Amino acid sequence: MRGARLFEKSCKILRRILVALGASVVLGLSAPAQTILPDPVAGMEGEMGSQAGLDAWIEGFRPRALAAGVSAAAFDAAMRGVEFNSKVVERDRNQNEFSKTIWDYLDTAVSEDRVALGLKALERNRALLDRIEAEFGVEKEVVAAVWGLESAFGTYRGDLSVLGSLATLAYEGRRGAFFEAELIAALRIVEGGHVERFAGSWAGASGHTQFMPSSWEKFAVDFDGDGKRNLWGEDPGDALASTANYLRHWGWTKGQPWGVEVRLPEGFDHDQTTERVVKPVSEWQAMGVRTVFGADLPDHGPGSILLPGGHRGAAFLIWPNFQVIEKYNTADAYVLAIGSLADRLAGRAGIQSGWPRELRALTLEERRELQDRLGGAGFDPGGVDGRMGPKTVAAVKAFQKARGLVPDGYPSLEVLELLR
Ligand code: CA
């Protein structure tokens, strides 16, 4: 009885989370593991495809799949009845989640409800996560945080046909080659009999920790020793171990934090706040940087200062494990969410500082205009693609400096208006 009540309560919490997320965070920023961020430019305009178009594309794709080792029988059986999914295309073209501010993202990604669910999930799976931590050298709270962001601890793994999503995205053109390669990997998984019900989220990621098919091939492990690398069943063991294996492969260092929230001193040179500037902790300390609680900085080797929400938001000293999490998803918001959720699950403090919540995120159109105008003013943004990558951030910094503003590199409306 008690178990049933607990379950009911967990479901209620989960429903609240999903409502709060509008399912968009789960399916958007957080779902496409392994650095698939929709490219905001190509294919924004133009006709959407159709079932007939997909069927014709599959015809053309067939010899390429066979050449890649998929048998004709398996191809025909698997691809029969694969449906064009216009929702997947919309999702891929939709820019809303990339117009989200980091604080809006973190509010849902590291909500109190998700922390509560995570503590329960951790408790329930403690022995399993301890074994994974011992074998792969990745802290259980970090593995659990990925699980929490990718599928709300296994409860929201996605129910779209992986083959349908991948075929639609491969055919539809944008990043077609990438999705075609994933589709071929997916067909090999099906042909190998590794999966019964191959369902996932919109970009073809599936299972408890939302692996892409090629990542299954490279990184999935059979942790429970039943002969299958099963990321899709109720038992999360293989999936969680696979995530730990993935993070270990990319260089996870056990015992090193992803980062720590810091306080910058008055008059700090904001030119230094970029992942490109790496200094020993002793140098940051000498420059007056302290933890957000005012303590001396812990020394975990050379690190960088990051201001993901500009100089009026929280500041972080980050270490190489931050870049390891980026291998799951390159968005700063995602990495911070994993790091912060892991901290909370380990009983550490969450992010303390506020954010400049009155600032709204720039739209895609505005981000492109910002880049266009930066280029026109002699500050090379590295292309006009709407992505606020390192070159654009550097260009914003240079512009801010030239205009006597705090050079934090944050692409605010204020910067855009000054450029206008
Ligand atoms: Ca297994």
Side-chain angles (χ1 to χ4, degrees):
M1 276 305 285
R2 190 165 166 269
R5 267 204 305 277
L6 265 179
F7 178 74
E8 215 168 88
K9 202 173 159 214
S10 300
C11 288
K12 222 178 275 171
I13 292 175
L14 174 71
R15 270 198 300 278
R16 279 216 303 278
I17 290 178
L18 292 177
V19 167
L21 292 172
S24 73
V25 173
V26 165
L27 292 175
L29 254 178
S30 70
Q34 293 98 44
T35 70
I36 304 156
L37 293 177
D39 175 78
V41 179
M44 281 299 289
E45 301 86 16
E47 291 291 297
M48 183 164 308
S50 62
Q51 183 66 47
L54 177 62
D55 290 341
W57 180 85
I58 290 172
E59 283 288 312
F61 166 59
R62 190 172 183 277
R64 299 196 293 278
L66 301 200
V70 180
S71 79
F75 184 93
D76 294 336
M79 295 304 286
R80 189 176 307 127
V82 161
E83 287 177 6
F84 177 74
N85 189 339
S86 61
K87 288 220 166 67
V88 166
V89 179
E90 275 166 26
R91 189 88 230 173
D92 194 39
R93 293 180 179 184
N94 181 3
Q95 299 310 311
N96 285 342
E97 58 247 50
F98 297 96
S99 305
K100 227 177 200 180
T101 58
I102 197 157
W103 43 94
D104 284 342
Y105 180 78
L106 289 170
D107 282 351
T108 44
V110 197
S111 65
E112 291 306 316
D113 283 349
R114 199 185 301 254
V115 172
L117 263 186
L119 289 170
K120 285 198 185 105
L122 205 58
E123 201 46 54
R124 240 182 1 257
N125 297 280
R126 187 165 294 275
L128 167 71
L129 285 161
D130 279 341
R131 287 203 312 278
I132 289 173
E133 178 171 328
E135 182 161 339
F136 296 94
V138 181
E139 286 84 345
K140 57 181 163 295
E141 295 86 0
V142 173
V143 174
V146 172
W147 191 23
L149 262 285
E150 296 296 343
S151 71
F153 307 99
T155 44
Y156 197 89
R157 308 200 286 273
D159 52 12
L160 299 175
S161 156
V162 169
L163 294 179
S165 298
L166 292 174
T168 297
L169 291 169
Y171 146 63
E172 217 264 338
R174 290 161 25 83
R175 296 175 299 150
F178 169 81
F179 285 110
E180 179 169 320
E182 291 295 335
L183 178 56
I184 288 171
L187 286 166
R188 282 196 294 255
I189 292 172
V190 171
E191 181 166 13
H194 301 290
V195 61
E196 277 170 39
R197 188 175 167 272
F198 209 0
S201 57
W202 67 271
S206 64
H208 285 267
T209 50
Q210 298 286 287
F211 263 42
M212 292 300 287
S214 64
S215 290
W216 181 90
E217 290 193 317
K218 290 191 206 97
F219 302 109
V221 294
D222 172 21
F223 194 65
D224 61 9
D226 69 351
K228 298 210 165 215
R229 300 187 284 160
N230 183 358
L231 312 185
W232 305 281
E234 288 309 307
D235 182 347
D238 284 1
L240 298 180
S242 298
T243 287
N245 187 42
Y246 184 88
L247 295 173
R248 176 175 71 174
H249 171 85
W250 292 110
W252 187 265
T253 304
K254 194 178 178 199
Q256 179 188 74
W258 60 275
V260 64
E261 189 178 352
V262 295
R263 193 188 292 162
L264 305 179
E266 278 303 310
F268 187 79
D269 174 9
H270 283 79
D271 257 0
Q272 309 285 316
T273 60
T274 157
E275 283 187 60
R276 290 174 170 183
V277 174
V278 181
K279 291 180 191 295
V281 165
S282 57
E283 273 187 48
W284 295 122
Q285 175 83 19
M287 290 167 77
V289 181
R290 295 292 180 272
T291 75
V292 73
F293 299 109
D296 288 346
L297 299 175
D299 194 349
H300 295 281
S304 308
I305 304 281
L306 196 68
L307 289 178
H311 70 282
R312 293 192 291 131
F316 303 91
L317 171 58
I318 59 169
W319 285 286
N321 276 347
F322 189 95
Q323 279 95 24
V324 175
I325 302 172
E326 281 180 345
K327 297 290 184 185
Y328 238 94
N329 185 318
T330 54
D332 279 350
Y334 180 84
V335 180
L336 276 175
I338 295 289
S340 179
L341 182 56
D343 283 349
R344 292 293 307 278
L345 296 180
R348 292 188 290 271
I351 296 171
Q352 300 293 302
S353 306
W355 299 99
R357 288 181 179 268
E358 68 284 3
L359 298 184
R360 71 163 172 82
L362 296 185
T363 64
L364 172 66
E365 211 43 57
E366 288 168 340
R367 296 200 300 275
R368 292 169 71 171
E369 183 191 344
L370 178 86
Q371 290 174 317
D372 189 43
R373 289 184 184 275
L374 279 169
F379 303 96
D380 177 19
V384 179
D385 59 4
R387 280 180 173 225
M388 302 292 102
K391 275 201 165 168
T392 301
V393 170
V396 170
K397 271 177 184 285
F399 172 77
Q400 288 169 321
K401 219 174 168 181
R403 298 298 289 266
L405 305 168
V406 177
D408 60 10
Y410 190 70
S412 64
L413 194 59
E414 183 193 14
V415 169
L416 177 59
E417 278 168 355
L418 279 172
L419 277 162
R420 283 170 176 161

